[in-house]
Amino acid sequence: EKGTYPHFMLKEIDEQPIVMRKIIKEYQNEDNELKLDEDIRAAMKACDRIYIIAAGTSYHAGLVGKSLIEKIAKIPVEVHVSSEFSYNMPLLSEKPLFIFISQSGETADSRTVLVKIKEMGYPALTITNVPGSTLSREADYTLHLHAGPEIAVASTKAYTAQIAVLAILAVDTAHAKGITLDFDLMQELAIVANAMDVLTAQKEELEQLTKDYLETTRNAFFIGRSLDYFVSLEGSLKLKEISYIQAEGFAGGELKHGTIALIEKGTPVIAVSTQENVNYSIRGNVQEVVARGANALIISMKGLEQDDDAFVIPTVHELLTPLATVIPLQIIAYYAALHRGADVDKPRNLAKSVTVE
Ligand code: F6R
């Protein structure tokens, strides 16, 4: 039930800190140690390459997951859009492990891949919000998102839950492989949950930014580098699917290779900057678009912020910033849709679970 909320989407955005804390609780044992199923650990240790298969927002979570698993657990990862993988299968490694990320667990494009790789005899892990779902039943292992039912068509809390669970999987694997880490993931996720509390309380400010930057525009661009690039893709998907503003997310460095031709006076460009190693270069990209008339809205992180930044998120661990930066982008998309009178929870032409290929 929506309770006092006008839309499920807003309720689900607000639930994200609660979901974060629930995940922290569910994935710790009585001694506060992070612990996953022994079989999942063994499968992660045994594989030589991971293939993440997903669609839409779950694919975007998979892109972040690749970075987390490669940096933390030191296993090479490929991320594939499920509908493409079925028809154009890459050359597989000797001991692949497939990870299916799906909120609903019913996405037909992903299921087609699961059926195929099971026929080939490969192991599969499904990360889903619905443990009894098709993708969960047909895989060898399941990790549960614990996000609670997600009703709005636009996925919000499932995305952050997916990233948190992927981080837990990465750290658990690192532990199993004897890799020493210089941070305590559960503590860092607790810091993220607190940051999410702060961010979800800043709706008025974000509604004003939406009015200032997106109210009458036909298009919008999202840019970032590294992890911020992946969040830009998700921010643009959120905006386009519910507000119908044509939106594109891309890597800051790619601007000059084509997209910059579209920048005109007043074009909104939302730039995300939370990574120290690219903070300088993404700001250079912002200058390039501003010089061509763009209306740039910079979302940065405390510690890396500059005077002109429109919105600054609290500091979180550098590998976990997507969990925080996506929240202002979700809220901006929500208000952009609301102000245009769009049906926020049920955007046209879309279904909550896509059970056809
Ligand atoms: C976007 C959205 C979709 C889903 C996609 C995959 O907000 O919700 O892009 O992410 O259809 O769905 P699942 O995760 O259920 O496989």
Side-chain angles (χ1 to χ4, degrees), residues 55-58 101-105 107 153-155 162 237-238 241 354:
T57 287
S58 298
I101 307 178
S102 177
Q103 187 284 129
S104 63
T107 299
V153 164
S155 184
Q162 285 162 346
L237 176 60
K238 224 70 318 168
E241 72 177 323
V354 185

Side-chain angles (χ1 to χ4, degrees), residues 194-261:
N194 293 341
M196 287 173 158
D197 281 330
V198 173
L199 293 164
T200 51
Q202 285 176 289
K203 292 193 192 70
E204 266 177 45
E205 211 175 320
L206 289 161
E207 179 166 22
Q208 189 56 50
L209 288 174
T210 311
K211 285 185 182 150
D212 295 344
Y213 287 84
L214 297 171
E215 210 66 348
T216 56
T217 192
R218 282 186 55 241
N219 59 359
F221 296 96
F222 291 74
I223 59 171
R225 286 172 179 251
S226 178
L227 287 180
D228 296 329
Y229 164 43
F230 304 143
V231 183
S232 301
L233 294 176
E234 175 57 10
S236 78
L237 176 60
K238 224 70 318 168
L239 184 68
K240 76 180 111 181
E241 72 177 323
I242 60 170
S243 77
Y244 315 136
I245 296 172
Q246 186 175 6
E248 191 184 345
F250 57 95
E254 278 289 286
L255 263 173
K256 55 185 173 300
H257 299 290
T259 314
I260 201 159

